[in-house]
Amino acid sequence: MNGTAIRYLYLARHGEAAEDESRLTDHGAQQSVLLGKRLRHSPLATVHHGPLPRAAQTARLICDQLDGVRPQPSELAGDYVPHLPERDELPPDAADTIVTRLSQFPAEERGGGPALATAALARFAGPADGDEPHHELLVTHAFLISWFVRAALDAPKWRWIGVNPANAGLTVIRYAPGRPASLVFFNDTGHLPEELRRPGLPPDLRV
């Protein structure tokens, strides 16, 4: 986090996944291609992605639209719970619901998640090394995007909960030396037609 150059961190949730999460749906593949086309003229130097199939496939489809950028797998971009709050961290009226919900996630996602989340911030957040602005994309999952947004806004650690990234939505955070992180935009789905914007959002949200 002591770099000397501006870093623009692009964050994208994978495209819509099939029910068994082994691949993208046709809609998810379309979302990924359209996101890649949107990023075609951006100065991206690197595309990282989580190890699960839905993130890897999304990254490949994005990179197919880019010139000379190949996807690079990263365990840090995986699907895990980034922070397990204690009950007294949480708003009293929501604590029981949140604790119960988080307890239902697999043990491996809960147990190793906080360490991975801390390492992900150390690796991808903050100014970059060098003299030129650095642009990189992280194709990942909803929880990790929520974690980066929470950190950029200097919100309490538990507040990753309730942030709701859309499939193939684009978030960009700017890290400049000597300045607080800047959330340039969040969950932008302007590259998607209406019928491809809804997957990943609450079913009662129609905007």
Side-chain angles (χ1 to χ4, degrees):
M1 296 208 180
N2 296 315
T4 55
I6 294 173
R7 182 197 306 269
Y8 289 93
L9 181 64
Y10 299 58
L11 297 159
R13 187 181 177 189
H14 59 80
E16 181 187 52
E19 189 171 349
D20 65 0
E21 300 186 335
S22 64
R23 60 177 177 79
L24 298 181
T25 64
D26 289 344
H27 277 180
Q30 292 177 54
Q31 291 170 330
S32 303
V33 169
L34 290 170
L35 177 54
K37 289 181 176 179
R38 175 176 180 175
L39 295 172
R40 182 176 289 164
H41 301 295
S42 66
L44 282 175
T46 315
V47 174
H48 307 274
H49 65 82
L52 296 178
R54 57 194 186 274
Q57 185 182 354
T58 298
R60 287 195 301 271
L61 290 170
I62 290 171
C63 286
D64 285 347
Q65 313 305 314
L66 308 178
D67 292 328
V69 181
R70 305 316 309 162
Q72 300 182 19
S74 172
E75 181 185 14
L76 299 179
D79 193 14
Y80 50 79
V81 176
H83 174 68
L84 285 167
E86 299 292 337
R87 187 178 296 272
D88 60 5
E89 292 179 66
L90 300 168
D93 59 345
D96 288 342
T97 299
I98 291 172
V99 169
T100 299
R101 178 171 179 261
L102 292 179
S103 71
Q104 297 170 353
F105 285 91
E108 61 270 19
E109 293 182 17
R110 291 183 286 115
L116 287 169
T118 298
L121 283 179
R123 166 61 183 84
F124 295 111
D129 293 330
D131 300 319
E132 298 295 327
H134 187 74
H135 297 251
E136 58 189 328
L137 168 65
L138 205 59
V139 179
T140 182
H141 303 267
F143 287 179
L144 189 60
I145 296 171
S146 302
W147 178 248
F148 272 93
V149 170
R150 182 242 25 116
L153 297 177
D154 202 24
K157 287 186 174 181
W158 73 267
R159 202 58 186 88
W160 68 269
I161 298 166
V163 181
N164 198 8
N167 291 118
L170 184 63
T171 294
V172 176
I173 302 173
R174 181 180 186 268
Y175 302 97
R179 297 185 180 183
S182 174
L183 186 61
V184 180
F185 51 85
F186 168 69
N187 220 15
D188 190 331
T189 56
H191 48 284
L192 302 177
E194 181 182 358
E195 65 272 15
L196 296 181
R197 293 180 189 174
R198 294 178 181 176
L201 293 174
D204 56 346
L205 184 62
R206 295 288 182 267
V207 295

